[in-house]
Amino acid sequence: SVRASPWIHGDETGWKIAGTNHWLWDFVNQKLAVYKITRSRGQKIPEEVLGKDYRGIVLSDFLSAYDKSGEKRQRCLVHLIREMNRCRETDSSAEYLLASRKLKRILSDAKKLNQKRGVLAPWDFARRVRRLKDPLLSFALQPFQNKNWKRLYKRLLKYYEEILTFLDVPGLPQDNNHAERMIR
């Protein structure tokens, strides 16, 4: 049944069994949950649970184990913003602050646009989505000097097509918070 779901949230957390490190994985939607405890935190686990041919969308954090899961992916915006905020605690350089403001503006505009789905004409909504995705890619292609942004922009480049998937799929969440709540 999980494999038939149009989208699934995935997450994992550390789990000890008799003092040995394991991982508790969850793959959940609003009605179903599959949990798996294993020693591995690798790509084979999502593949085992969802199957190699899962055609739905996987919502997850930026762990590379999810990179080949599902036909499409939505990376968690909350994780991205949380990481940016953590970096800001130790980096108040002008370059970091300017870049942070730019990316947060793009993400904020995407969330606001998503709220206008159904209000805007479909052609206008699609045009506005394109007008957000282009600046996101341009932002990710900037040659940052700041060490934090060098790391973050590599993530943005790698996952560029998986950050705003929620704008392409009506009702798709922007985060994997549901999986985190279900793991707790």
Side-chain angles (χ1 to χ4, degrees):
S1 293
V2 166
R3 291 177 178 174
S5 180
W7 63 71
I8 202 81
H9 298 261
D11 199 23
E12 71 296 322
T13 191
W15 193 263
K16 289 214 185 249
I17 297 177
T20 304
N21 292 332
H22 287 73
W23 294 96
L24 168 64
W25 292 77
D26 72 341
F27 299 89
V28 301
N29 63 22
Q30 296 303 321
K31 296 180 180 181
L32 304 166
V34 172
Y35 295 93
K36 182 173 180 96
I37 299 173
T38 179
R39 301 265 328 251
S40 173
R41 194 179 186 204
Q43 184 177 336
K44 69 180 182 177
I45 305 305
E47 193 174 277
E48 283 175 12
V49 174
L50 298 174
K52 288 183 180 185
D53 59 348
Y54 177 60
R55 295 291 164 227
I57 300 169
V58 175
L59 294 99
S60 71
D61 56 21
F62 292 88
L63 182 67
S64 63
Y66 298 103
D67 284 359
K68 295 183 180 177
S69 300
E71 190 167 299
K72 290 184 176 183
R73 284 158 296 285
Q74 169 65 52
R75 298 300 172 150
C76 181
L77 296 188
V78 173
H79 277 84
L80 179 57
I81 292 168
R82 196 180 299 148
E83 177 69 15
M84 290 167 48
N85 291 338
R86 257 195 305 265
C87 291
R88 186 169 183 217
E89 290 173 5
T90 60
D91 187 348
S92 59
S93 68
E95 183 183 25
Y96 185 83
L97 295 176
L98 180 63
S100 180
R101 264 187 252 125
K102 282 183 182 179
L103 182 55
K104 283 185 179 181
R105 177 64 187 260
I106 292 169
L107 298 178
S108 174
D109 288 349
K111 290 176 184 181
K112 288 176 187 172
L113 178 58
N114 196 43
Q115 292 172 348
K116 293 181 181 178
R117 184 189 302 276
V119 175
L120 297 172
W123 63 268
D124 190 23
F125 185 83
R127 179 181 60 83
R128 291 180 187 210
V129 167
R130 278 192 311 276
R131 287 175 58 193
L132 276 172
K133 287 184 176 184
D134 290 344
L136 179 62
L137 181 58
S138 294
F139 177 84
L141 290 170
Q142 291 181 47
F144 292 103
Q145 298 303 313
N146 180 283
K147 66 176 182 171
N148 289 312
W149 275 111
K150 280 183 178 183
R151 184 174 44 77
L152 287 169
Y153 98 90
K154 285 179 186 175
R155 180 179 291 174
L156 289 174
L157 277 177
K158 182 176 179 179
Y159 298 112
Y160 157 74
E161 293 183 355
E162 301 174 2
I163 292 175
L164 299 179
T165 306
F166 70 96
L167 291 174
D168 299 329
V169 181
L172 184 69
Q174 307 156 15
D175 56 57
N176 74 330
N177 289 350
H178 183 65
E180 291 185 351
R181 285 191 299 275
M182 294 298 291
I183 242 175
R184 282 187 222 118

